[in-house]
Each structure stands twice: as C-alpha cells, then as structure tokens.
Amino acid sequence: MPTVRSFVVVPSLPEKLKRLKDVAENVCWCWDRDTIELFRRLDRDLWEQTNHNPMLMFSKLSQQRLDAASKDDGLAAHMRRVCTRLDNYIQGSRWYDAVADDVKQGVIAYFSAEFGIHECLPLYSGGLGVLAGDHLKSASDLGLPLVGVGLLYRQGYFQQYLNADGWQQESYPENDFYNMPVTLVLREDGRPVRFHIDIAGHDVVVQIWRIKVGRIDLYLLDTNLRCNRIEDRQITAQLYGGDTDMRLRQEILLGIGGFNALRALNIDPSVCHMNEGHAAFMSLERIRYVMQEHQLSFAQAKEATAAGNVFTTHTPVPAGHDVFTPTMMEKYFSEYYKSFGLSWKDFLALGRADAADTEELFSMTVLALHMSTYRNGVSRLHGEVSRHMCQPVWPGVPVQDIPVTSVTNGVHVRSWISRDMTELLDRYLGPAWAERPNNKAVFDRIDQIPDEELWRTHERRRERLVAYARQRLRDQLSRRGASPLELAAADEVLDPEALTIGFARRFATYKRGTLLFRDLKRLKSIVCDKERPVQLIFAGKAHPRDTEGKELIRELVHEIRDEELRRRIVFLENYDINVARNLVQGVDVWLNTPRRGMEASGTSGMKVLGNGGLNMSVLDGWWCEGYSPDTGWAIGSGESYTDREYEDEVESHTIYDLLEKEIVPTFYQRGRDHLPRLWVRKMKGSMRELISAFSTNRMVSEYAERFYITSAQRWNKFKAENWQLGKSLADWKESMRDRWSEVAVEKVDVVSRGDLFVGGSLEVRCQVKLGTIDPTDVVVELYYGLLGPNGEIQQGQSVNMQCSGSPNDNTHVFSGNIPCLQSGRCGFSVCVVPNHPEMVHKYDTGLLCWDEAETPARTKATTQA
C-alpha cells in the first residue's frame, strides 16, 4: 500500500462571514437561540440534515450560497448581533469574580469519561455525560476557572436501530472531527501538542483536542495516531466499548493521561474533580508528580493532593462501580507502583475497602474515596445510599457520619428550554431568569404570566413534538422497508391535543420501562378513552451487552403494536440529546419509575421544568426533594419492598390510579375559556418552586462554595513553606497509626441518678487509656440516640467530652453531658478518634476506638409530667 499523507481543507467563508467560524467553534451557540437561528438562516434543510452541526453545514454549503449570504444585509446584521453578544459573554464579569478573590488563580480540572454537550458531538452515552456537559456550561455562565478533561471517541457511543422484531441493533459510525466544533491543540510552531504515556509497557502517543464551551476549555485525548499500535489506537475508539481490559486502558488514559495532558498544556490545577470513579487514577499521577517534583514521600504527597481532590459518585448500584482483578492491575501497574515506594500489597490496598483482604478486587470508587477530601453523591437520598455503600471503607463509623455528603444534580436550563418558552419568560421575567437561573426570586414572578399565554405556549410545543414524533417514526419505518400503508399510518399517530406522557432513559431493568403494561386492559381503557385520550412517547437505549434491557425494549415494541395502542404509544429510536430536547419541550407529564434507592439523581425529569412539564415519579433521586402536591405527582410514599413482583404490582396500580383519578381529570377539566386552570396552576407551581432549585447554575455554585474554593485554599496552604503542612500532617497520622493500639476505653460511669426527664441531661464520666498519645490529639465523644428493637443506636448524635483529669501519664478522665431531647429507650457509647486541626473529616484516618464493654451503659428518659 502506498503511504497516504493527510491534509485538511476548511470551508472558504467570504470575508463578511469570517466570524461565523469563530461563532461555530464555540459551542455556547447550542444554548443561544438567536445564534441557532442564524445558522438555520443559512440553510434550514441542511441544518437538520447535518444534525445541527454548523461546521459540517459550512463544508456542505455551496460557494454560491455562501457568496449570496455575504450580500444579505439582514443576515450580516444578525451575525454582528450574535458576535457582539458572544464577545460580551466571554469578556463580561461573572458570579465567580465576586466570591473568590483569593483563589482566582486556582484552576479547577473536571475529569469525566463522557461529556454530553450537543447532539453533533456524540461523546456521551446518557445522564452522566449530559450532566458533565451541563456542568461545563454552568461553569462558563458563572465564570469559574475550570477546564474539562475527557477522551475523544472516534465512534462515540453506539447508534441504535430496531430490527423487525423490535430487537436493538447497534452501529458505530465514525466521527469526522475535522467537520465538528472541535479543534486540534497546536504548539506555537503549528505542530500538534502531544505527549507519551506508558500503558502495559508500551509507549502510547496522545494528542489533545479542544472544544470551547463558552468560557471553558474542554480537552479531549486521542490515541488514534498512525504511530501507535492498532490496539492502542482502539483505546479512544468507543465509549464504554470493549471488555474489562479495554475499560482499564481507557481509565488509565483518562486519569493518568489526563493529568499529563494538563502538564503538557502548562496547566497546574489547584482542584481536581473526579466525576465518577472512571478518573480515579488521576489521583495517583498527581501524587507521583508532586513526589518527583518536590521530593516528598507518598504519605506526604497524598495528604497534599487529597486536599485539592473532589470526588462525585453517581452510581447507587454496586455493579455499576468499576473493579479490576489483581492480575489485571499487575499487567498495567507492575512498574508504575514502584515510583511510590510502596509494596505491591500496599499499592493494591489503595483500591480496597479492607487492606488486609488480598482477594478483594481493586475498586476505582474506593481509590477515589481514599484520595479525596470532599466526596459526594448527587441527591440527598443518594448521599444516604452512598454512605451505606461506603461503610466498609470506614468500618466502625456510624453510617450517618461516613464522610460522604451530597450535592443534588441540576440541568442547564437554557440548553433545554424551548424557544417559545424562552420568549415568554423574557417577556414577563426579563433577562434575569436566563442570566441567574439559580435565583428563585426571579421565578417567584411566574404568576405574572397570564394562564392563557402559558398554556398556548405549551400547546404549541406539544403540537411540534407530535409532528416531530410522526416524522421520526416515519423515518424509522422507512429504514426497515415498511409498506406505503405503514408509512401513511405513521402520519396519523398521536394527537396534538391529547395528554402526552414522556418516558425516555437508559433501558436498564431497574428503571422498569414496561411497568405501565402490567395490566394491559386497564392501560387501554386509559389511553383509548375517546373523550379524554392519553398518549405516551418512549425512547431509550440498552447497553449493548445488557440482554435484559434489550428484552425490555423488544417487549415494549411488541406491546405497542397492538391495534388499539399503536396510534397512542410510540417508541422513538436512537435516543440522543436532540430527541430528549424535543420530548422535554413538548410533553405534559414526565414519567419515572425506578426502583427506589437505585436512581442516584435522575436529571431527565428536571429538563421538563422550564418547559412547563410536570413530573410523575417514584420518590427516588431528586424527586424526593422536588415533590410536593403543588408541583407534580408521587408514585407511592417512599416505601421500600423486598418482594419485587409485589412492588411492581402495587406501583403499577398506583400509576393507573393517579392517571384515572387525578392527572387525566385535571388535564381535561376546562372552563368556559377552554383552559385547564387547575393544571396551569400546577405548571406554575412547578416552575416557580423547582427551576432554580434544580439548575446546574445552583449546582455548580454549590460545588464552588462548598468544595472548590475551600479545596483551592487548602491546596495553596499545603504547598506553602516547602509543603510543610503536608509533611507534618502525614507524619502525625503515621504516628497515630503506630500508637493507636495503646488506646482503650477502660471505664464508663453514669454520674446522674434517678429518673431522667425530657429537657434534662445525663452526665457521663469515663476513663481512657491513651498511652503516649497526648489528650489534645484525640476527641472523646459520647455517641447517643434512641435505641432500635435490636438495641442499636438509631440516628445517633455525638457530643464531645472534656478532659477533667489525669490519674497518670497514660490514663485520662473525660466527662460530658448527653441532652435528653425526647422520651423513649435511649443508649450511648463512648468513642475515641484522632483529632488534628487540619483534618476536614474526623474519621479520615479510619482510626477509632469504641467502648467495647459487654453491656454498654444505658439509661431511660421519661417525659416530664
């Protein structure tokens, strides 16, 4: 074969349209309706045909059309308006400028395996990636000094189509990055920025691409270079493709390669945020870099880097956390680990909950937990679930005290709200709703919108959704070779005026996509009612290796082929951001049916809020926080079940009941003006109470205030004075570990006598052996609360005891008081934990000593007469 040398040809834009390329290369156009309209103005049909990709559209526009456009004064004025707004957006002051004066120089690096920014950039699979994309968009809106780090997948996630039997098929079209809003990062001499990384003893060359997301740079790594081996070029072929070995290689590239990419770009982050465990190897490379550059030990470098690491977990299902066998780890890390000065056993222990268990798999989540100071789930309920899941990492620590908190997810409102609703909100709320979507006071004015205008705006979007679904269904049938009669029938499905329910998400079994079909007769009576019809639009993909998920889709498709249902229920193939956008902008109700406790957050239902849609969901994820009778409907009351069959039976009938008795009657109850006043009242309640609370602007500002700013300050503090703080804290922890065996709770005495009454207190004194440890290096706590049926403290609280004497150098007396806040059978225990002013979480060391007397001291509290 001859050698093929490549070169790149770019669209030749007329001089008057040159800035169109600048506008297209910064994807903040994807949440600016006026910019999108500018692209559509060039060629509306081509805009749709290119999947809304302006760079590809430019390459397909004829030179004649471009020349004509350059002479269009109206288009030129439109372009100048768009360019001015883009310049003002990039250069203007933002929220972060005012709140973070002391850490403005600190860069935040946000690592994620996927980023869902727009449908023309298929580098995402679902909610995790879309959340990451919205995170970058809001970071741009707020002005955070943040960069994204990810992988540039040549084929991305799969494209879905169904065969005649309804079975999911996958295709993997190649991405053409030279016709996308992504650019190769170049050095000053014009050559690509590249660096090398060792993967299993092979030198892999990596180049870096960039996507501009408003003010934010997203850097994506690419190994598809001719100088690399075929198997190394495949690392960036598919998102979540291949086997476990490929997953490990991708996560090495994301974490270790991602950190080295920042170094190649001369970016020294103060804060590194790992979005899910995929990026956890970053923490090791950051330690290795600090060790080499500043001659620190592993323990010292770990303390310093952990001060600037944030970890977010999104997965409440144990099977969703990546784990690797010791054999696989040895294949890829047998040389790497030596740079830390650790034994192989100690290195593997970094990813194990039980360091002594040599059979335990290496967990990316556990590694991230060990290497971070700030750790969070993505809703309040998920925070609780995560603390239970992470308890093996902190054995003996009460569940509620596990150092994992929560930051509830949100959505980038402007990316998901329709143009019609945007114009309506602009008219009545002013520009503040878009500029500060996390400001609830702005949305408190939602009642100023006349009911008629809000309802008519929403109706237009439903009509457009029905038209979109019909066209999409027709295209699906055409690809499968459907008959002319079948194609004609596609133009008659759905009703623009009927109550429309949307269900779209990954088809995993726990999401229960077919729950509505348990009682087919009852479902038909609801959707086929001639006076009050209901229709449903489904969409979603199953993972290519999830046979059960594929079977759910096949089962659903077979059900809706029923003659009575086929015009009322449709399934749209190849769910992506574009399909999602059309759905959330047009449905009346968004349905969500996960098994409670298995939906970490669930952001799809948040996307309907700005469009006036309402939610009907199991009380899981974010809906536990968002639900009230004024904002939507709850499926159940937060019950937990052990029998899944019974759970499905109960909750499916709850859905039917809600539809029959509340949702359908409220939607179709019309006054003389034909307006569903009660429904519109609910729409306004949802928009008023929930849009600001569940925006990524609120979410990202919360990350900044709770984690980023503090992490940057701690990182700078640890770096100061030749890393002295990291050295001293590491030495202190090592000293505590070496001497912790000397600690024991020897004697506990209840000083109070007689009955205790609510409002009083119980005085407790204890004797603690500390050996050579100074009393100021520990905290002795009284851990107390109501007792459960098994004699265990439930929802315990703690109060510190004070050192009141020292009988000898090794033993000290502590005393404290337990407040009697409520009546009932109560109990307490005594716990000793290390104490250092620079520890963010008191249980970070994993060291604690409980009172282990056979019969813990307990007393009773009675209500005072």
Side-chain angles (χ1 to χ4, degrees):
M1 290 289 290
T3 299
V4 177
R5 304 186 186 278
S6 64
F7 57 94
V8 178
V9 179
V10 297
S12 178
L13 293 173
E15 188 63 33
K16 289 184 178 181
L17 301 180
K18 287 291 186 184
R19 286 217 63 192
L20 273 179
K21 184 172 181 290
D22 297 333
V23 174
E25 286 183 342
N26 192 322
V27 295
C28 67
W29 55 258
C30 74
W31 67 88
D32 185 86
R33 307 299 171 195
D34 197 34
T35 308
I36 292 173
E37 190 55 40
L38 174 63
F39 294 144
R40 287 170 58 85
R41 193 167 180 170
L42 287 168
D43 192 314
R44 292 181 182 274
D45 292 337
L46 195 55
W47 175 249
E48 297 299 328
Q49 294 166 16
T50 58
N51 202 26
H52 312 141
N53 180 351
M55 300 300 291
L56 181 58
M57 185 176 72
F58 293 164
S59 72
K60 291 181 176 294
L61 280 169
S62 67
Q63 200 62 46
Q64 182 181 7
R65 175 69 187 104
L66 288 171
D67 291 340
S70 68
K71 298 172 184 176
D72 184 334
D73 291 340
L75 189 145
H78 193 167
M79 187 187 72
R80 287 194 297 272
R81 182 173 73 241
V82 163
C83 291
T84 298
R85 189 164 57 252
L86 174 62
D87 293 339
N88 291 339
Y89 176 82
I90 298 298
Q91 298 165 11
S93 62
R94 286 294 181 264
W95 171 85
Y96 194 77
D97 298 333
V99 301
D101 289 339
D102 56 339
V103 288
K104 283 181 182 175
Q105 303 305 313
V107 174
I108 304 151
Y110 182 84
F111 292 75
S112 182
E114 52 176 305
F115 287 91
I117 297 169
H118 187 263
E119 58 266 25
C120 75
L121 292 164
L123 307 172
Y124 62 94
S125 70
L128 176 70
V130 173
L131 183 280
D134 282 7
H135 192 112
L136 299 191
K137 294 172 185 178
S138 283
S140 173
D141 289 344
L142 296 168
L144 267 67
L146 184 144
V147 296
V149 181
L151 304 183
L152 188 73
Y153 302 101
R154 192 171 73 252
Q155 296 174 339
Y157 203 52
F158 71 91
Q159 301 287 299
Q160 177 202 53
Y161 64 98
L162 305 183
N163 66 16
D165 189 43
W167 190 257
Q168 174 181 291
Q169 306 288 302
E170 297 89 29
S171 65
Y172 294 88
E174 297 274 336
N175 287 323
D176 179 5
F177 301 126
Y178 293 96
N179 277 315
M180 290 181 173
V182 52
T183 56
L184 197 58
V185 179
L186 304 176
R187 301 182 187 277
E188 290 184 2
D189 60 6
R191 292 182 300 143
V193 174
R194 292 181 175 179
F195 64 94
H196 297 251
I197 179 175
D198 182 280
I199 300 181
H202 297 283
D203 183 61
V204 180
V205 181
V206 186
Q207 66 183 5
I208 309 170
W209 298 73
R210 175 174 58 208
I211 298 175
K212 294 180 181 178
V213 187
R215 295 167 159 229
I216 304 299
D217 287 328
L218 168 58
Y219 295 107
L220 301 169
L221 312 187
D222 174 22
T223 63
N224 185 32
L225 302 171
R226 295 185 62 182
C227 57
N228 287 329
R229 302 180 309 152
I230 296 277
E231 49 267 50
D232 293 328
R233 295 178 68 173
Q234 293 301 311
I235 296 174
T236 54
Q238 296 176 3
L239 171 61
Y240 304 142
D243 55 14
T244 306
D245 187 79
M246 178 56 74
R247 176 67 66 90
L248 179 52
R249 291 155 66 85
Q250 289 183 331
E251 294 184 356
I252 289 171
L253 179 62
L254 174 62
I256 297 175
F259 188 80
N260 279 284
L262 294 178
R263 291 180 58 194
L265 296 167
N266 295 315
I267 296 173
D268 182 17
S270 296
V271 179
C272 291
H273 186 167
M274 295 169 279
N275 187 44
E276 204 36 285
H278 307 127
F281 289 135
M282 176 283 303
S283 62
L284 295 179
E285 187 65 6
R286 193 179 191 190
I287 288 172
R288 193 168 79 107
Y289 171 71
V290 170
M291 289 177 66
Q292 291 177 347
E293 292 295 310
H294 303 284
Q295 291 74 53
L296 301 183
S297 69
F298 174 83
Q300 294 167 345
K302 176 180 177 295
E303 293 300 331
T305 57
N309 287 345
V310 178
F311 169 54
T312 298
T313 176
H314 295 258
T315 311
V317 184
H321 296 264
D322 289 339
V323 293
F324 304 107
T325 66
T327 301
M328 287 189 66
M329 290 297 294
E330 186 174 16
K331 176 181 176 181
Y332 289 97
F333 291 91
S334 59
E335 293 299 319
Y336 183 84
Y337 88 93
K338 296 176 182 177
S339 60
F340 298 108
L342 300 175
S343 69
W344 180 241
K345 178 182 177 182
D346 288 342
F347 179 78
L348 289 181
L350 299 175
R352 287 171 169 164
D354 183 356
D357 184 359
T358 58
E359 299 300 315
E360 185 179 339
L361 300 179
F362 187 96
S363 167
M364 297 296 282
T365 296
V366 173
L367 175 64
L369 291 170
H370 281 154
M371 299 299 178
S372 306
T373 295
Y374 297 101
R375 317 161 184 98
N376 69 281
V378 289
S379 69
R380 290 176 195 163
L381 180 59
H382 182 233
E384 296 175 17
V385 172
S386 297
R387 285 189 285 276
H388 280 277
M389 291 183 64
C390 296
Q391 196 168 25
V393 180
W394 288 276
V397 176
V399 172
Q400 66 267 25
D401 292 329
I402 297 292
V404 178
T405 183
S406 66
V407 176
T408 301
N409 280 344
V411 298
H412 187 253
V413 178
R414 291 181 64 191
S415 291
W416 299 102
I417 195 168
S418 70
R419 183 184 184 93
D420 304 83
M421 194 63 74
T422 295
E423 293 172 351
L424 182 67
L425 296 184
D426 283 345
R427 217 162 35 244
Y428 287 96
L429 305 187
W433 78 266
E435 296 168 358
R436 299 188 301 278
N438 53 325
N439 185 351
K440 185 179 182 301
V442 173
F443 292 95
D444 284 341
R445 302 201 301 269
I446 208 84
D447 289 326
Q448 295 178 12
I449 301 175
D451 289 357
E452 296 85 350
E453 288 197 55
L454 179 60
W455 182 243
R456 300 306 176 208
T457 299
H458 179 65
E459 282 200 308
R460 281 196 300 274
R461 291 311 312 180
R462 191 191 319 110
E463 291 168 1
R464 291 176 186 176
L465 170 59
V466 168
Y468 172 82
R470 287 172 175 173
Q471 182 59 53
R472 189 107 181 170
L473 183 60
R474 187 181 179 89
D475 292 343
Q476 292 172 193
L477 293 170
S478 180
R479 284 194 298 270
R480 290 203 292 269
S483 68
L485 283 176
E486 289 177 300
L487 294 176
D491 292 333
E492 298 179 359
V493 301
L494 307 179
D495 179 348
E497 297 182 355
L499 171 61
T500 304
I501 299 174
F503 181 102
R505 52 189 38 84
R506 182 166 58 91
F507 263 74
T509 52
Y510 76 85
K511 294 178 183 284
R512 300 188 292 178
T514 57
L515 188 63
L516 264 177
F517 294 84
R518 282 187 68 88
D519 188 337
L520 206 56
K521 181 179 179 181
R522 195 169 178 189
L523 176 63
K524 286 181 179 180
S525 72
I526 294 171
V527 303
C528 299
D529 188 309
K530 293 182 180 180
E531 299 298 322
R532 303 188 305 181
V534 177
Q535 57 197 20
L536 296 107
I537 303 177
F538 287 85
K541 297 177 178 179
H543 188 279
R545 292 193 294 277
D546 183 1
T547 303
E548 289 183 321
K550 290 183 177 182
E551 182 58 39
L552 281 178
I553 294 175
R554 192 191 71 83
E555 180 185 336
L556 174 64
V557 171
H558 277 252
E559 295 286 9
I560 63 181
R561 286 175 178 171
D562 183 285
E563 188 61 36
E564 296 179 74
L565 297 179
R566 62 192 314 162
R567 293 187 179 183
R568 294 293 181 199
I569 307 177
V570 299
F571 182 91
L572 303 183
E573 296 176 13
N574 203 30
Y575 183 45
D576 66 356
I577 287 177
N578 186 38
V579 174
R581 187 186 303 112
N582 279 276
L583 280 172
V584 301
Q585 290 178 358
V587 298
D588 299 296
V589 177
W590 194 259
L591 176 64
N592 189 30
T593 56
R595 297 194 187 280
R596 179 173 161 83
M598 301 184 77
E599 184 88 287
S601 179
T603 56
S604 60
M606 300 176 187
K607 298 179 178 74
V608 304
L609 301 175
N611 295 291
L614 300 173
N615 280 270
M616 172 173 55
S617 174
V618 170
L619 286 171
D620 198 12
W622 77 281
W623 194 232
C624 294
E625 302 163 49
Y627 168 71
S628 76
D630 297 328
T631 59
W633 295 274
I635 301 171
S637 303
E639 300 89 348
S640 296
Y641 298 85
T642 54
D643 185 333
R644 290 190 170 184
E645 182 68 20
Y646 180 67
E647 177 183 11
D648 291 350
E649 186 70 16
V650 169
E651 294 189 341
S652 64
H653 284 286
T654 301
I655 296 173
Y656 300 140
D657 287 342
L658 284 172
L659 287 169
E660 292 168 342
K661 299 174 183 178
E662 294 188 41
I663 297 174
V664 173
T666 304
F667 183 86
Y668 284 104
Q669 181 182 342
R670 310 294 170 98
R672 291 184 177 180
D673 54 5
H674 304 293
L675 289 178
R677 294 283 182 179
L678 292 178
W679 188 275
V680 173
R681 185 186 306 167
K682 215 172 185 78
M683 288 172 64
K684 287 185 174 181
S686 173
M687 297 175 78
R688 182 176 57 249
E689 299 301 323
L690 302 183
I691 292 176
S692 60
F694 297 101
S695 73
T696 40
N697 283 47
R698 185 276 309 158
M699 181 193 81
V700 174
S701 63
E702 189 174 343
Y703 273 113
E705 291 170 339
R706 293 177 57 189
F707 301 156
Y708 294 161
I709 294 173
T710 306
S711 291
Q713 291 171 333
R714 282 177 58 79
W715 169 251
N716 292 330
K717 188 176 180 180
F718 272 78
K719 285 173 61 178
E721 298 179 4
N722 194 29
W723 306 84
Q724 186 55 47
L725 181 55
K727 294 176 182 178
S728 63
L729 183 55
D731 292 345
W732 179 85
K733 284 187 176 181
E734 183 177 2
S735 172
M736 295 301 289
R737 279 190 288 269
D738 290 342
R739 295 182 292 161
W740 196 249
S741 60
E742 302 174 15
V743 178
V745 179
E746 294 188 319
K747 185 180 180 182
V748 178
D749 292 320
V750 175
V751 179
S752 301
R753 293 290 179 263
D755 287 339
L756 294 169
F757 297 96
V758 172
S761 64
L762 176 72
E763 184 180 355
V764 179
R765 186 179 298 130
C766 69
Q767 190 168 289
V768 179
K769 179 184 175 184
L770 294 177
T772 58
I773 296 176
D774 192 274
T776 59
D777 283 334
V778 299
V779 170
V780 180
E781 299 178 326
L782 283 168
Y783 183 77
Y784 66 95
L786 291 175
L787 295 180
N790 297 322
E792 295 181 352
I793 296 173
Q794 298 182 327
Q795 298 298 318
Q797 296 176 282
S798 61
V799 60
N800 290 352
M801 304 181 77
Q802 304 300 318
C803 185
S804 56
S806 302
N808 56 60
D809 292 340
N810 295 329
T811 306
H812 308 272
V813 176
F814 290 80
S815 59
N817 291 279
I818 298 173
C820 298
L821 301 177
Q822 59 188 119
S823 62
R825 182 168 171 257
C826 304
F828 74 89
S829 190
V830 175
C831 184
V832 186
V833 293
N835 176 49
H836 191 284
E838 291 302 330
M839 286 203 309
V840 175
H841 307 290
K842 61 186 176 183
Y843 295 118
D844 268 351
T845 62
L847 302 173
L848 62 165
C849 177
W850 287 97
D851 168 24
E852 295 183 349
E854 291 186 7
T855 307
R858 297 191 180 103
T859 190
K860 60 181 179 179
T862 56
T863 306
Q864 188 170 13

